[in-house]
Amino acid sequence: MALDPADHRLYMADSTDQGVDVMDVSVPPGRFLTTIPLQTIPHGIAIANDVQRLYTGNDDSTVSVIDLNPSSPSRYTILATINTNGQSIADLVDYDP
């Protein structure tokens, strides 16, 4: 899970629906907005507020880059998939600007 307090959004890895669930947490109890579909099961999630991106570590050893820019026509879409050339899942993801 990752929280974006500025945008009042909670992002959660969803292995059942194979995507990232987006919740509006501006008021309790929160409201489901959408699931961002991925080609594989996500695990770790990191938000990069300075570039308005969400990164997910995935089951197939890739990292997905998702657009979070509210004014972008591609908001909540995958911009890129990065292959880590790993032999297992990409799990713990962190962002260091």
Side-chain angles (χ1 to χ4, degrees):
M1 273 190 292
L3 178 66
D4 182 353
D7 198 27
H8 306 287
R9 298 290 187 260
L10 177 66
Y11 300 94
M12 299 170 290
D14 183 344
S15 61
T16 302
D17 291 330
Q18 198 167 302
V20 176
D21 292 339
V22 182
M23 299 285 294
D24 176 355
V25 294
S26 58
V27 294
R31 180 174 56 96
F32 173 80
L33 296 177
T34 191
T35 298
I36 304 166
L38 299 176
Q39 298 297 316
T40 187
I41 296 171
H43 293 280
I45 295 179
I47 296 174
N49 286 324
D50 60 328
V51 292
Q52 297 181 319
R53 300 287 186 260
L54 177 81
Y55 298 91
T56 65
N58 302 320
D59 208 35
D60 64 354
S61 208
T62 62
V63 174
S64 296
V65 182
I66 299 169
D67 185 7
L68 295 184
N69 184 344
S71 61
S72 171
S74 63
R75 185 179 194 189
Y76 298 149
T77 61
I78 300 171
L79 299 175
T81 301
I82 303 163
N83 188 345
T84 66
N85 295 317
Q87 306 213 358
S88 185
I89 64 174
D91 191 6
L92 301 175
V93 179
D94 197 8
Y95 177 75
D96 184 4

